[in-house]
Amino acid sequence: MITDPRMDPRIWSRLPNHLLEKILSFLPLKTLLDLRSTCKHFNSLLFTPHFVSKYSLSSSSFSSFIILSHPQSVKKCSLFNIGSNSWCEVSLSLPRILSSPLSSNLLSSSNGLLCFSIPRSSCFVVYNPLAKSLRRVNFPICLFDYESLTLVSTDNGFKLFVLSSAGSSNQALVYSSTVCSWRRFEGSTQILSECCHQKGVFYNGCLSFTTLEPFHVVYFHLESGRWEGSTAVLPRDLTFVRVASDGYQKLYLIAGVGISGISRRIKIWELRKGEDQGADYWMEIETLPEMVCRKFVSVCYHNYEHVYCFWHQGLICLCCYTWPEMLYFKVSRGTWHWLPKCPSLPEKWSCGFKWFSFKPELYAIV
């Protein structure tokens, strides 16, 4: 048998590490991950921060994505690549426990982690698609009625927040992966009332929520379980209110402005700190163009409970459960754009469009 001399192992074994890393950095992500089982050196190399940072700069595989999950979609979780501004030809790869659309439901995302519910198994599953690692989290009780599930990825694991209506009063429950247990906090009914469909927005160590009229922004401290109202006074004549955050430094208010519950405009405000330790305040930074506003308001039919927002890599994304397109605002450029309809959706579609931010992160711990 004649062997190609260019593949002689003795040649590759003498290749300097920095050249080997350079060659590997041009491989597709799937091929790169498959190499882990072929060589101990490759397996250790692919998990070093130095190589991952180099690979992410030279490869488009580490681009950020927006995930669309919809009951009628042929592909369970479709991916839109923000870097190439196009829908990916392949859908998100899921393990067997999550691959059946009837058994699992994508609920939340954070820092490269995805959280699914599996009602038939009475559990949540937190999954890192890049590292292909997952953790199963059992419900606090077998028949668990919950709302507002929010996943928060941390430096040493993750937390799950849910609101439960079991019992005489609503409870907030927080699961910590570091101690593998749930904690219960009473008194959520008086705070959020009937706003349980909202997800929390992680900001400055807390989850932020908005209430029904009279509108307020409230914070839930993940460590202490304490609820706190924002001191910043909201703008006037609001018809609906949502919040979005980059997770650390900035909190944004996205709201409709109008009369008699009808939105005539949609605006964005940024939370600013008062000078000399004064009260926080909302600074208006953007107004949705009139024609775009008319289209968005028409697709949600003034049912603002269907509207939700999230942050994705410098974008404020504005969505509606009943519409297959997504509107987003580029904060740095101050421009609005429509994300095109997913080609895998059927011609006839109904409500249930759920969008999620996803930035692959190899070291997001489950």
Side-chain angles (χ1 to χ4, degrees):
M1 180 178 180
I2 301 177
T3 304
D4 189 338
R6 292 175 297 179
M7 300 304 295
D8 190 335
R10 291 172 297 181
I11 298 177
W12 287 92
S13 63
R14 295 195 299 269
L15 192 67
N17 283 338
H18 72 280
L19 292 180
L20 179 61
E21 292 181 12
K22 184 68 174 178
I23 294 172
L24 292 176
S25 69
F26 289 102
L27 293 175
L29 181 59
K30 184 179 185 303
T31 303
L32 192 64
L33 295 177
D34 288 342
L35 286 175
R36 291 182 298 177
S37 61
T38 63
C39 172
K40 290 183 178 180
H41 174 63
F42 284 172
N43 186 52
S44 61
L45 173 66
L46 302 184
F47 283 88
T48 60
H50 172 71
F51 178 76
V52 171
S53 62
K54 178 185 295 185
Y55 182 76
S56 62
L57 292 176
S58 61
S59 173
S60 61
S61 299
F62 272 69
S63 298
S64 62
F65 300 91
I66 291 178
I67 297 177
L68 171 61
S69 176
H70 186 261
Q72 291 178 290
S73 180
V74 176
K75 301 176 181 178
K76 173 58 179 163
C77 292
S78 302
L79 295 173
F80 184 85
N81 189 320
I82 290 296
S84 63
N85 195 38
S86 62
W87 286 97
C88 301
E89 294 183 0
V90 295
S91 59
L92 183 67
S93 176
L94 298 175
R96 181 176 298 179
I97 190 176
L98 302 173
S99 58
S100 172
L102 298 177
S103 63
S104 65
N105 182 25
L106 179 57
L107 298 177
S108 185
S109 65
S110 176
N111 192 34
L113 298 182
L114 304 175
C115 182
F116 297 80
S117 69
I118 308 182
R120 293 180 180 178
S121 300
S122 300
C123 72
F124 301 110
V125 171
V126 178
Y127 178 53
N128 184 332
L130 190 57
K132 297 190 180 301
S133 56
L134 60 82
R135 177 183 294 206
R136 175 173 169 159
V137 178
N138 291 328
F139 290 169
I141 55 177
C142 290
L143 298 176
F144 187 43
D145 187 16
Y146 62 90
E147 298 282 354
S148 304
L149 183 137
T150 306
L151 169 67
V152 178
S153 177
T154 64
D155 292 337
N156 58 354
F158 65 87
K159 294 181 184 294
L160 292 178
F161 169 93
V162 293
L163 289 174
S164 171
S165 57
S168 58
S169 64
N170 280 16
Q171 299 175 324
L173 291 89
V174 178
Y175 176 88
S176 173
S177 64
T178 57
V179 295
C180 301
S181 64
W182 292 92
R183 295 176 64 192
R184 299 175 182 267
F185 303 97
E186 302 288 346
S188 300
T189 304
Q190 296 81 0
I191 303 296
L192 293 184
S193 185
E194 299 178 0
C195 288
C196 296
H197 62 279
Q198 290 188 49
K199 294 180 182 178
V201 173
F202 185 68
Y203 167 71
N204 198 26
C206 301
L207 291 181
S208 303
F209 296 87
T210 58
T211 69
L212 294 177
E213 293 187 77
F215 298 119
H216 295 286
V217 175
V218 295
Y219 306 124
F220 176 81
H221 294 259
L222 281 170
E223 293 300 328
S224 65
R226 179 171 58 91
W227 289 95
E228 177 185 4
S230 172
T231 58
V233 179
L234 293 182
R236 300 178 58 185
D237 301 324
L238 301 183
T239 54
F240 72 90
V241 178
R242 299 291 183 267
V243 286
S245 172
D246 63 358
Y248 302 97
Q249 299 180 343
K250 295 184 180 296
L251 182 67
Y252 298 94
L253 182 76
I254 302 93
V257 180
I259 56 175
S260 302
I262 303 298
S263 295
R264 303 301 180 186
R265 290 167 293 171
I266 295 178
K267 293 177 175 287
I268 298 178
W269 293 262
E270 181 185 330
L271 185 64
R272 299 286 180 88
K273 298 293 183 181
E275 298 181 0
D276 299 326
Q277 297 183 345
D280 296 347
Y281 64 97
W282 293 103
M283 171 66 74
E284 183 180 327
I285 63 171
E286 178 63 21
T287 299
L288 185 63
E290 183 178 357
M291 295 302 295
V292 182
C293 181
R294 287 183 181 179
K295 176 179 177 179
F296 187 83
V297 170
S298 67
V299 301
C300 65
Y301 303 108
H302 304 295
N303 294 323
Y304 303 123
E305 65 271 15
H306 296 156
V307 176
Y308 61 101
C309 303
F310 63 91
W311 174 271
H312 176 79
Q313 301 294 303
L315 310 177
I316 296 177
C317 303
L318 188 59
C319 316
C320 182
Y321 287 110
T322 59
W323 190 250
E325 298 178 57
M326 190 191 80
L327 179 65
Y328 62 91
F329 175 66
K330 288 188 176 182
V331 176
S332 61
R333 296 185 179 182
T335 56
W336 291 90
H337 307 269
W338 285 100
L339 186 146
K341 179 184 173 183
C342 178
S344 68
L345 285 175
E347 290 299 324
K348 295 183 179 180
W349 41 263
S350 60
C351 63
F353 301 97
K354 296 191 293 184
W355 304 83
F356 303 89
S357 170
F358 178 57
K359 178 67 170 71
E361 174 56 60
L362 191 61
Y363 299 105
I365 301 174
V366 297

